[in-house]
Amino acid sequence: MSIIGKYDLISDPNDAEWDTYLKTVGVSDAHREAGAMVKPSIEISEAGGKYTLKTLSELKNMEISFELGKEFDETTADNRQCKTIFTKEGTSKLIQVQQLDGKKSQTVREFTAGGMNAVFSAEGVSATRKYKRVN
């Protein structure tokens, strides 16, 4: 299953599990409240072994580019700095690990013909966000 495509969030952006996860990784109250009001789209593309992941919403657009297995510096949506590495498991899982403020966070994105399930976890707390494939 190709991970390349565009995906729209279908999960409730105001989900209690998601809010708990965001608290666990240190996202401020103001950023959590703002994020609870939007349903972002995710676009993933690849060219020459370099991937680009765009997060598009009414509040803020973000773009990160990466090569699998190579750590890089990332600025999070709430403007904090972290070390990030992406790996791929088989053809349908993209795994992102972030080291942020002494905490490790992992996001496992699993792709299907119909969409993407993203499981975010840190310090024993997890939240799932579901997306519909739109192209």
Side-chain angles (χ1 to χ4, degrees), residues 59-110:
L59 289 179
K60 185 174 189 174
N61 294 330
M62 305 231 6
E63 180 176 317
I64 55 174
S65 295
F66 58 92
E67 294 179 55
L68 296 175
K70 291 188 179 180
E71 186 177 74
F72 64 97
D73 294 320
E74 178 186 1
T75 302
T76 64
D78 60 342
N79 295 314
R80 295 180 295 155
Q81 299 300 308
C82 67
K83 295 287 187 186
T84 301
I85 189 166
F86 280 86
T87 56
K88 208 169 156 191
E89 188 176 296
T91 59
S92 64
K93 278 189 186 177
L94 184 65
I95 301 165
Q96 177 183 13
V97 176
Q98 295 173 304
Q99 295 287 340
L100 177 68
D101 298 332
K103 297 179 182 179
K104 178 182 173 183
S105 172
Q106 178 174 285
T107 306
V108 177
R109 294 174 177 91
E110 188 161 8

